[in-house]
Amino acid sequence: MRTHILTLAFLFTYSISCTAGDIVGPRETTVSSTNGHVGTAVAAFEGKTSSGKEVSSRNFGGEVLIIDLWGLNCGSCLEEMKALEPIYREYKDKGLRIWAVNTENIGAPEMKNGLAERKMEVSYDLLVDPDLEITKNFTSWFIPVTVIVDREGIVQYYKVGFNQADAEKIKAKVEALLAR
């Protein structure tokens, strides 16, 4: 009995999320935390997209913004990125922006090559985070992390981990915020 409890505790702990070094992406099951972000102004940061465009959380054009923290070696992260793509395509002309922030301290070429090796294409912005300053604003190294910010810059959704049911929650939150 004791062995079963310890095994279950290990599996539950491991299933919470990926870390930047995970090869296979475990999934979050039931644990989620807002870490005090929801209802507060989005953390201030500047960044650069993989194409070299400067961005700022202080000025993202009054759009609804999804900030997605991810890593190349995190299976759950890559699943989430795939799930965000159709949401972005459907709502990008209605005021949705996505900034996918890589948490591995790699440059744009490595990011692009890594996604290409995994046969992944995304049409939303990929952000490099060379000093991991953006990452530190939103996580203590657990990924993926999804943050949705309304047009006024207030965090309305924060989630650690990803499973397919989350895609519908994200889409519903985006629709509601765009309708405001």
Side-chain angles (χ1 to χ4, degrees):
M1 177 74 163
R2 180 176 163 87
T3 303
H4 293 291
I5 292 171
L6 291 174
T7 301
L8 286 172
F10 171 78
L11 289 174
F12 178 75
T13 302
Y14 187 71
S15 71
I16 291 176
S17 62
C18 297
T19 62
D22 287 339
I23 300 301
V24 177
R27 298 182 205 333
E28 180 188 47
T29 52
T30 58
V31 177
S32 180
S33 171
T34 65
N35 287 342
H37 290 280
V38 173
T40 65
V42 66
F45 65 85
E46 275 89 40
K48 192 178 281 191
T49 68
S50 59
S51 61
K53 179 182 167 191
E54 299 283 335
V55 297
S56 171
S57 65
R58 291 183 192 100
N59 181 14
F60 51 92
E63 296 179 306
V64 171
L65 173 65
I66 295 176
I67 302 166
D68 176 40
L69 291 102
W70 65 282
L72 283 170
N73 294 317
C74 170
S76 294
C77 298
L78 299 176
E79 282 184 44
E80 180 176 42
M81 291 176 77
K82 287 178 189 174
L84 289 175
E85 182 63 25
I87 295 169
Y88 178 69
R89 287 185 181 171
E90 184 172 349
Y91 296 105
K92 68 180 179 178
D93 295 331
K94 297 174 183 169
L96 175 64
R97 183 178 295 191
I98 298 178
W99 292 342
V101 180
N102 181 272
T103 62
E104 299 166 304
N105 195 16
I106 60 176
E110 294 87 0
M111 245 191 324
K112 289 178 181 179
N113 290 338
L115 289 174
E117 287 171 8
R118 290 158 179 80
K119 298 180 181 15
M120 283 198 50
E121 291 184 36
V122 294
S123 57
Y124 47 83
D125 289 323
L126 301 172
L127 271 62
V128 294
D129 191 11
D131 298 322
L132 302 177
E133 292 304 316
I134 301 170
T135 300
K136 291 173 192 174
N137 282 327
F138 298 103
T139 184
S140 296
W141 311 113
F142 290 105
I143 55 174
V145 171
T146 310
V147 180
I148 303 177
V149 182
D150 67 18
R151 296 177 192 268
E152 290 77 39
I154 304 300
V155 175
Q156 298 295 328
Y157 179 95
Y158 179 97
K159 178 133 187 325
V160 176
F162 178 77
N163 62 53
Q164 287 302 316
D166 293 330
E168 287 304 314
K169 293 175 190 172
I170 292 167
K171 183 177 179 178
K173 180 58 85 174
V174 165
E175 285 176 348
L177 291 173
L178 289 172
R180 285 189 189 175

